[in-house]
Amino acid sequence: MVYMMGGGLFGLLIIGLIVYIIVERSSHGHAYREGYPIKNDALDILRERYARGEISDEEYEKKKNLLKN
């Protein structure tokens, strides 16, 4: 009787571990990059475009002011 309960608990532990690993892998692939949450709000995207040189200083300032209002 005790062995059956232990085996059942071990089975539940294995299932829980598998679910935990699947959830962790999927969340890191979509919501996190190197442990930090990915923020994709408009101001962050604007900063990234400016840093890559895709937009000029004037365009960056103009759009930044529009987004802050």
Side-chain angles (χ1 to χ4, degrees), residues 42-60:
L43 195 53
D44 288 335
I45 293 169
L46 181 65
R47 287 183 188 123
E48 290 172 8
R49 290 186 63 205
Y50 179 67
R52 287 191 298 261
E54 295 177 8
I55 57 176
S56 67
D57 295 339
E58 296 83 22
E59 188 176 358
Y60 172 75

Side-chain angles (χ1 to χ4, degrees), residues 40-49 55 59-69:
N40 280 332
D41 66 353
L43 195 53
D44 288 335
I45 293 169
L46 181 65
R47 287 183 188 123
E48 290 172 8
R49 290 186 63 205
I55 57 176
E59 188 176 358
Y60 172 75
E61 289 299 325
K62 180 180 174 185
K63 290 182 179 195
K64 183 174 78 167
N65 290 333
L66 286 172
L67 288 171
K68 286 188 175 184
N69 292 330

Side-chain angles (χ1 to χ4, degrees), residues 31-39:
Y32 292 91
R33 182 184 308 150
E34 298 177 12
Y36 297 99
I38 296 174
K39 290 184 178 179

Side-chain angles (χ1 to χ4, degrees), residues 17-40:
L17 183 61
I18 291 170
V19 170
Y20 173 77
I21 290 170
I22 291 171
V23 168
E24 281 297 307
R25 285 188 180 193
S26 67
S27 69
H28 285 296
H30 300 294
Y32 292 91
R33 182 184 308 150
E34 298 177 12
Y36 297 99
I38 296 174
K39 290 184 178 179
N40 280 332

